[in-house]
Amino acid sequence: MASQPGSVSDEKRKVLIPIDDSEYSQYALEWYADNVHMKNDRVLLVHCPEYHHVIHSKSVPTDGSATSMMKEEEQKLKALFDKFQSLLEKHGIHEHADVKSVHGKPGEAIVKVCRDEGASMIITGCRGMGTLRRTLVGSTSDYVAHHSPVPVIVCRHKEHHERHLHGKSH
């Protein structure tokens, strides 16, 4: 059946997918590609770098190690972007995808980018933290789900979810 002009399949959706170096964000992208992707979608991968080694150090190094730490973080970021570029190419969606790096608290930054870019939906991974840890440190996916102006799909990694349900740890 051919799609009618103006039908959902002809509309351009902008799908925002937060990424980091975890298996959970990779799973979210794979899940999107396998289950939700439509040919006219624009995909925006968003990363919030964590320059935690430099920013959270108790003193400012004067021996050049701060520069070295920043370069190391930049190399990790490049490797991350290369990994996700390969995944986009594997699924044939690299021509309609962009990667954006933003600073700030991840949940807040993701929601801001969503608003600024006019995203249609957010697809995010979930680390599957336990209730206590999520309560104490917060969860990016919880924040996004509660503050997003658009629908959010939280992809739970099946194997991790099974371990969590049955009380088995990593």
Side-chain angles (χ1 to χ4, degrees):
M1 186 163 130
S3 45
Q4 300 293 320
S7 70
V8 173
S9 63
D10 288 336
E11 295 177 14
K12 290 198 186 267
R13 301 184 303 179
K14 187 173 276 189
V15 180
L16 190 151
I17 304 174
I19 62 169
D20 60 17
D21 62 353
S22 73
E23 65 184 281
Y24 307 104
S25 61
Q26 179 176 338
Y27 179 75
L29 175 59
E30 297 273 359
W31 188 90
Y32 160 76
D34 293 341
N35 297 285
V36 181
H37 175 70
M38 295 171 67
K39 70 177 183 172
N40 290 325
D41 284 353
R42 297 286 313 162
V43 177
L44 179 60
L45 302 180
V46 177
H47 181 259
C48 298
E50 298 180 50
Y51 294 107
H52 55 280
H53 296 105
V54 177
I55 294 171
H56 294 288
S57 65
K58 295 186 187 222
S59 63
V60 178
T62 57
D63 62 356
S65 61
T67 303
S68 175
M69 286 188 278
M70 290 298 281
K71 284 183 181 178
E72 182 180 318
E73 292 291 331
E74 288 173 13
Q75 289 172 342
K76 288 180 186 176
L77 188 58
K78 183 185 178 328
L80 176 71
F81 288 172
D82 289 347
K83 171 183 167 182
F84 276 90
Q85 181 64 32
S86 293
L87 288 170
L88 291 167
E89 289 172 6
K90 170 185 162 189
H91 291 287
I93 54 181
H94 60 285
E95 292 181 8
H96 302 286
D98 295 305
V99 179
K100 186 171 194 159
S101 183
V102 295
H103 297 282
K105 291 183 178 180
E108 293 172 10
I110 291 163
V111 170
K112 181 177 183 336
V113 170
C114 173
R115 285 190 174 109
D116 292 351
E117 295 288 336
S120 305
M121 73 175 71
I122 298 173
I123 304 205
T124 184
C126 178
R127 293 180 189 254
M129 291 188 276
T131 305
L132 179 62
R133 183 160 184 229
R134 190 172 53 246
T135 301
L136 294 174
V137 300
S139 161
T140 299
S141 59
D142 281 351
Y143 183 93
V144 170
H146 286 95
H147 294 88
S148 171
V150 299
V152 176
I153 297 174
V154 178
C155 298
R156 293 193 180 273
H157 195 286
K158 184 178 179 181
E159 292 171 13
H160 180 85
H161 186 65
E162 290 293 323
R163 285 191 304 248
H164 183 70
L165 283 176
H166 299 295
K168 298 174 187 171
S169 61
H170 299 264

